[in-house]
Amino acid sequence: MIFKFLKLNITVEDAAFNELYPRRIKRLAARHWTPVAVAKFASEYLVDRPNKRVLDIGSGAGKFCLVGAASTTGRFYGVEQRASLVKLSKKIAERHYVTNVEFIHSNINKINFSDYEAFYFYNSFYENIDSSCSIDKTIAPERELFYSYSKYVKEQLEKTPVGTRLVAYWSNWEEIPDSFKLEYAGCGGGIDFLAEDILADSQINLLALKKQCSIVL
């Protein structure tokens, strides 16, 4: 029923969606998995035409991609370095017949962004500098990885065409090129205002951006 409701634009609460996951994964939701309202806003902004290819940079348990695929006509791709989470994401998609989604077991620095047309990023690399709520013990945190991954993402985004859309949730701007300009911003899923007057607001955690120009170095 969850995915049927999403297709029909009926509200789905996070508590209900998170029941799709095993208990251990569900406990991580508040810290690591995108809220349904954020995923819906982000996917609707990113998918401005049918079959738009959207990459989730660090898809974790697949929640953003699953919500986006059910809510829009886009095609969603989640890249995740933990094989167990990729397996779980695929299992949920298959069980619920969500066909416009694909999960890739890989590291982000092996992914060519030119294969995709829009991007979502939920501060996936932060676990390398804050181990207070680790997803698991299979990946050892390394502070240098935070910077190297952020640099790679920034370089890849800089190569994208003008007009490319990006949504960042809880970003510190480390991975966002100057060529991307803010269109909308807000707190959580409440995105109903333009960006101009709110950049100084410390509560802002969701950014919708579009590439306006190419920077020649």
Side-chain angles (χ1 to χ4, degrees), residues 85-154:
L85 293 182
V86 172
K87 182 178 180 180
L88 174 61
S89 301
K90 288 181 175 180
K91 184 177 180 180
I92 293 172
E94 291 168 1
R95 180 180 297 165
H96 296 276
Y97 306 101
V98 185
T99 58
N100 54 326
V101 66
E102 181 178 333
F103 295 100
I104 304 160
H105 179 214
S106 182
N107 207 313
I108 193 60
N109 56 14
K110 306 298 183 185
I111 300 297
N112 188 335
F113 283 26
S114 65
D115 294 332
Y116 308 95
E117 300 169 288
F119 303 88
Y120 178 73
F121 181 74
Y122 178 9
N123 212 355
S124 317
F125 315 138
Y126 195 68
E127 64 175 335
N128 285 293
I129 56 177
D130 180 3
S131 57
S132 62
C133 184
S134 299
I135 293 175
D136 58 32
K137 303 297 183 184
T138 64
I139 305 294
E142 297 181 39
R143 178 171 287 268
E144 180 53 38
L145 288 178
F146 172 83
Y147 298 105
S148 64
Y149 290 160
S150 296
K151 180 182 178 183
Y152 180 81
V153 168
K154 189 172 186 176

Side-chain angles (χ1 to χ4, degrees), residues 119 153-160 166 175 177 180 211:
F119 303 88
V153 168
K154 189 172 186 176
E155 290 172 346
Q156 288 290 302
L157 288 173
E158 192 57 83
K159 296 176 183 177
T160 60
L166 164 69
E175 69 290 333
F180 280 78
K211 189 169 185 179

Side-chain angles (χ1 to χ4, degrees), residues 33-35 38 120-123 167-171 187-188 205-207:
W33 319 140
T34 302
V38 172
Y120 178 73
F121 181 74
Y122 178 9
N123 212 355
V167 172
Y169 186 49
W170 286 112
S171 169
C187 307
N205 59 21
L206 183 56
L207 311 172

Side-chain angles (χ1 to χ4, degrees), residues 2-216:
I2 286 174
F3 291 98
K4 182 178 180 180
F5 282 176
L6 288 170
K7 290 178 186 295
L8 295 173
N9 200 28
I10 298 172
T11 298
V12 173
E13 299 295 336
D14 282 291
F17 192 97
N18 293 339
E19 286 299 318
L20 294 170
Y21 295 116
R23 183 179 301 173
R24 185 184 70 81
I25 300 301
K26 187 164 51 178
R27 284 201 301 264
L28 296 167
R31 180 71 175 267
H32 291 288
W33 319 140
T34 302
V36 172
V38 172
K40 279 182 62 63
F41 165 80
S43 57
E44 288 167 4
Y45 172 77
L46 294 171
V47 179
D48 57 341
R49 60 172 173 75
N51 296 312
K52 192 81 172 274
R53 299 189 304 276
V54 179
L55 177 67
D56 182 1
I57 302 167
S59 56
K63 189 174 177 182
F64 166 74
C65 287
L66 291 165
V67 172
S71 303
T72 74
T73 59
R75 300 200 60 82
F76 287 77
Y77 302 83
V79 58
E80 170 56 46
Q81 62 180 339
R82 289 176 169 87
S84 61
L85 293 182
V86 172
K87 182 178 180 180
L88 174 61
S89 301
K90 288 181 175 180
K91 184 177 180 180
I92 293 172
E94 291 168 1
R95 180 180 297 165
H96 296 276
Y97 306 101
V98 185
T99 58
N100 54 326
V101 66
E102 181 178 333
F103 295 100
I104 304 160
H105 179 214
S106 182
N107 207 313
I108 193 60
N109 56 14
K110 306 298 183 185
I111 300 297
N112 188 335
F113 283 26
S114 65
D115 294 332
Y116 308 95
E117 300 169 288
F119 303 88
Y120 178 73
F121 181 74
Y122 178 9
N123 212 355
S124 317
F125 315 138
Y126 195 68
E127 64 175 335
N128 285 293
I129 56 177
D130 180 3
S131 57
S132 62
C133 184
S134 299
I135 293 175
D136 58 32
K137 303 297 183 184
T138 64
I139 305 294
E142 297 181 39
R143 178 171 287 268
E144 180 53 38
L145 288 178
F146 172 83
Y147 298 105
S148 64
Y149 290 160
S150 296
K151 180 182 178 183
Y152 180 81
V153 168
K154 189 172 186 176
E155 290 172 346
Q156 288 290 302
L157 288 173
E158 192 57 83
K159 296 176 183 177
T160 60
V162 170
T164 296
R165 295 187 175 203
L166 164 69
V167 172
Y169 186 49
W170 286 112
S171 169
N172 60 8
W173 293 83
E174 194 78 32
E175 69 290 333
I176 301 175
D178 292 340
S179 54
F180 280 78
K181 303 304 178 185
L182 194 59
E183 293 202 307
Y184 303 96
C187 307
I191 315 300
D192 56 0
F193 39 81
L194 293 174
E196 290 92 89
D197 300 324
I198 57 175
L199 289 180
D201 189 336
S202 62
Q203 299 303 309
I204 300 306
N205 59 21
L206 183 56
L207 311 172
L209 309 102
K210 184 186 290 187
K211 189 169 185 179
Q212 301 295 334
C213 62
S214 295
I215 295 177
V216 179

